[in-house]
Amino acid sequence: MASNAGMSIGDTEPKFKRCEKAGMAAHITISIDAMGGDNGPSTVLDGLAHSHDQNQDIRFLLFGDEADLEKQLKKHSRLSNAVELIHADTAVAMDTKPTQALRKRDGTSMWAAIEAVKEGRANAVVSAGNTGALMAMSRMSLGMMSSIDRPAIAAMWPCQTGRSIVLDVGANVEASASHLLDFAIMGRACAMVLFHKEDPSIGLLNIGSEDLKGHSSIREAAEVLKDPSLRLNYVGFVEGDDISAGTVDVVVTDGFTGNVALKTAEGTARLIGTFVRDSFSQSLLTKLGALFAGSAFKSLRERLDPGTVNGGPFMGLNGLVVKSHGGTDANGYASAVNVAIELARGDFVNRMAKTVERVHTALEQGDSMVADAEFTSAQQQTKKAAVS
């Protein structure tokens, strides 16, 4: 069902019941920036169809060119009762600078989709559009969570034990010790929901496992994370090969290092796939071998496909935002939507906020105890000096 063309999210009333509170709706509703990404609405709608087959109780708000979306929806009749179209005049180009995107945000499908979360009409937003613009708009619309200074982007990472979470992978070039602590808290909350673990393990990405390795911010963050009063399952420093080994559930790093690691892993996966194809195309004998091993190679290809773990949540916001890779296919987009659905069902934002509050309270109490001890010691020294 389509809403009136040309209206913004604030002018348009959806045809189903509003979410009374994010994470508390009878039906989970996902807001979709249908114009974002390299491949346009066709991939978005194909991905939604895949996701809907697995989650038929989910509702979708689609923001974009109404005429184009209606044409695309004709190919997916099973989505007709699960979606509502809301017209948006323009899309944010992939090469638009964040500052420019903010100035021209009104009327864009990205801004309207984010605002739906702010207004409680959707539990989460998914976009395959411009990452910088999406982060800037999300921060402006939703705001940062209390006690969190910097947002972070998390990536789902395939590993020997299943999946792990790596953050930050691009939101912050540098990160202080306090920022790394916040990333650890947020990553832990995400792992609790996605991996259904009560106490996920956390590691700081470093150049070695020894306490003296790494720069000062990493070492300072490690000292804080070791504090037993924080009740965080911190296991210590981890190295690059520990990510794929699945040594810990949550790998914490700055955005520069995380993004380099992510792009390196994606490139390595593609390289391995190319090597395998080339090796089995060299002769008739190798081609016959590939034919007999077809099911095994299909499984390997699926495990190496970055799309199977597509969907990076933006951490630290007062709302749930999931970024899909811009060049993903339908299966990859469905994966990003499924991440948003799972996090919304798990009340991720509220659970993360409670964990952040608990840890920061423990830190403040610890600081107060230290300050009280220092004050008492100073008083005792003053008294001794007066007596002498």
Side-chain angles (χ1 to χ4, degrees), residues 176-190:
S176 67
S178 63
H179 296 146
L180 292 172
L181 171 63
D182 288 339
F183 298 168
I185 298 168
M186 295 187 290
R188 177 182 185 273
C190 189

Side-chain angles (χ1 to χ4, degrees), residues 34-107:
M35 309 303 289
D38 299 334
N39 303 317
S42 60
T43 297
V44 171
L45 269 295
D46 289 346
L48 286 184
H50 288 315
S51 178
H52 179 64
D53 289 343
Q54 305 165 45
N55 306 281
Q56 297 191 9
D57 58 328
I58 303 300
R59 310 294 296 272
F60 300 104
L61 284 175
L62 269 61
F63 294 87
D65 185 299
E66 186 178 319
D68 192 5
L69 292 175
E70 285 182 338
K71 181 172 64 177
Q72 297 291 338
L73 273 174
K74 290 179 181 178
K75 304 174 186 177
H76 304 288
S77 58
R78 62 187 186 279
L79 281 175
S80 59
N81 293 324
V83 304
E84 180 182 352
L85 307 184
I86 300 177
H87 182 74
D89 294 322
T90 58
V92 177
M94 297 298 282
D95 59 352
T96 301
K97 294 181 179 179
T99 53
Q100 294 175 332
L102 282 177
R103 286 197 298 268
K104 300 179 180 179
R105 62 187 181 274
D106 291 334

Side-chain angles (χ1 to χ4, degrees), residues 182-233:
D182 288 339
F183 298 168
I185 298 168
M186 295 187 290
R188 177 182 185 273
C190 189
M192 289 175 70
V193 174
L194 292 181
F195 304 158
H196 307 289
K197 291 189 175 183
E198 293 185 4
D199 194 19
S201 56
I202 301 167
L204 280 172
L205 187 62
N206 202 349
I207 57 174
S209 58
E210 298 84 358
D211 290 341
L212 296 178
K213 289 289 183 72
H215 53 70
S216 59
S217 294
I218 292 179
R219 296 197 304 271
E220 290 172 15
E223 288 303 313
V224 177
L225 287 167
K226 291 176 183 177
D227 186 345
S229 69
L230 302 184
R231 304 202 309 273
L232 299 174
N233 186 11

Side-chain angles (χ1 to χ4, degrees), residues 333-350:
Y333 196 86
S335 175
V337 173
N338 290 343
V339 168
I341 291 171
E342 194 167 357
L343 289 174
R345 281 176 171 158
D347 199 19
F348 164 66
V349 174
N350 288 328

Side-chain angles (χ1 to χ4, degrees), residues 21 24 145-146 148 185 188-189 192 230-231 346-362:
K21 183 178 179 182
M24 301 297 289
M145 191 173 290
S146 176
I148 298 294
I185 298 168
R188 177 182 185 273
M192 289 175 70
L230 302 184
R231 304 202 309 273
D347 199 19
F348 164 66
V349 174
N350 288 328
R351 292 177 70 173
M352 180 170 60
K354 290 178 181 178
T355 303
V356 168
E357 182 181 6
R358 175 182 65 77
V359 173
H360 278 270
T361 299

Side-chain angles (χ1 to χ4, degrees), residues 265-281 297 300-306:
E266 290 176 345
T268 301
R270 287 191 291 269
L271 180 64
I272 292 173
T274 300
F275 282 170
V276 171
R277 285 193 300 271
D278 291 348
S279 297
F280 282 91
S281 301
F297 286 121
L300 176 63
R301 185 169 61 251
E302 290 175 351
R303 296 188 69 177
L304 291 175
D305 181 8

